[in-house]
Amino acid sequence: TSAEAQLTRNLFTSAELGFNLFDNLDTLKLNSDSVLPHVRSDIKQYLQQGRTGLTRLQVDYLSNIGSSWYGRASAGLFESMFGGISGELLYRPFAKRWAVGFELNRVRQRDYDQRFRFRNYEVTTGHLDLYYRWPFYNLQTQLSVGQYLASDRGATLTISRQFDGGATVGVFATKTNVSAAQFGEGSFDKSFFVS
């Protein structure tokens, strides 16, 4: 379950709780043998120990800081595995199909039970983001170039379509300087999403 509240004109807070009604996660046995920092590969521990937990709790300050310039500052538990502080600067010219942004994050890995404790892994991530909204089918393209959670560097290309009812469907692919041998099965990250 989730909730959002606008505290002032520019200040927002949001929270999300996860409740597990039934699962068979105890049957998961295999631990990760990744040689990279375990930024996502300890999913088994998060699923088993965080069955009921605080998935997200964050505060965001959004502001129009000049003509076509926008800013965001955030702090909190951003998702089930990481929390910290984040900032973003976005240049979005009026009536144009493109925008460019830069985001910087300092995050720490959350404990497996998804409460308020943290693990020792801490990292800085940041990306230069280029956006383009196509003149047909409500298609949007985003190219992000920068540093990821495992301190690897590379780029992510996302293509999505927003439908009139509010649903968004898309695909993305990420390739970084991690070799296919280190990354493991699939050699790079790619997926589709619906929101």
Side-chain angles (χ1 to χ4, degrees), residues 78-182:
F78 297 138
E79 42 122 317
S80 60
M81 296 184 190
F82 285 90
I85 58 173
S86 175
E88 182 176 16
L89 188 61
L90 178 72
Y91 178 67
R92 184 174 179 258
F94 179 74
K96 300 292 183 189
R97 296 191 173 278
W98 61 272
V100 60
F102 176 73
E103 61 177 308
L104 190 63
N105 313 286
R106 182 66 179 173
V107 294
R108 191 166 182 182
Q109 193 170 37
R110 294 180 62 191
D111 205 3
Y112 298 141
D113 64 4
Q114 295 181 37
R115 299 290 177 359
F116 293 102
R117 294 186 308 255
F118 288 87
R119 300 177 57 75
N120 289 331
Y121 186 72
E122 196 169 359
V123 66
T124 298
T125 67
H127 289 87
L128 175 66
D129 301 307
L130 306 172
Y131 303 92
Y132 186 77
R133 183 171 292 280
W134 296 88
F136 46 84
Y137 298 121
N138 286 333
L139 283 177
Q140 180 169 300
T141 305
Q142 177 181 349
L143 177 64
S144 298
V145 179
Q147 181 164 294
Y148 294 85
L149 289 170
S151 294
D152 50 334
R153 294 180 179 157
T156 299
L157 178 63
T158 304
I159 301 171
S160 61
R161 179 180 181 188
Q162 184 174 19
F163 292 89
D164 292 338
T168 300
V169 176
V171 295
F172 74 86
T174 299
K175 183 68 176 160
T176 71
N177 59 345
V178 172
S179 70
Q182 288 175 302

Side-chain angles (χ1 to χ4, degrees), residues 31-117:
N31 287 318
S32 172
D33 60 358
S34 175
V35 297
L36 299 171
H38 287 204
V39 295
R40 298 289 182 206
S41 54
D42 288 340
I43 184 69
K44 179 183 87 137
Q45 286 85 341
Y46 283 97
L47 292 172
Q48 290 176 341
Q49 297 179 37
R51 288 180 166 134
T52 300
L54 186 60
T55 309
R56 187 167 48 88
L57 177 63
Q58 73 183 68
V59 175
D60 300 294
Y61 183 82
L62 307 174
S63 180
N64 180 340
I65 55 179
S67 178
S68 302
W69 287 93
Y70 302 88
R72 174 189 55 80
S74 303
L77 307 173
F78 297 138
E79 42 122 317
S80 60
M81 296 184 190
F82 285 90
I85 58 173
S86 175
E88 182 176 16
L89 188 61
L90 178 72
Y91 178 67
R92 184 174 179 258
F94 179 74
K96 300 292 183 189
R97 296 191 173 278
W98 61 272
V100 60
F102 176 73
E103 61 177 308
L104 190 63
N105 313 286
R106 182 66 179 173
V107 294
R108 191 166 182 182
Q109 193 170 37
R110 294 180 62 191
D111 205 3
Y112 298 141
D113 64 4
Q114 295 181 37
R115 299 290 177 359
F116 293 102
R117 294 186 308 255

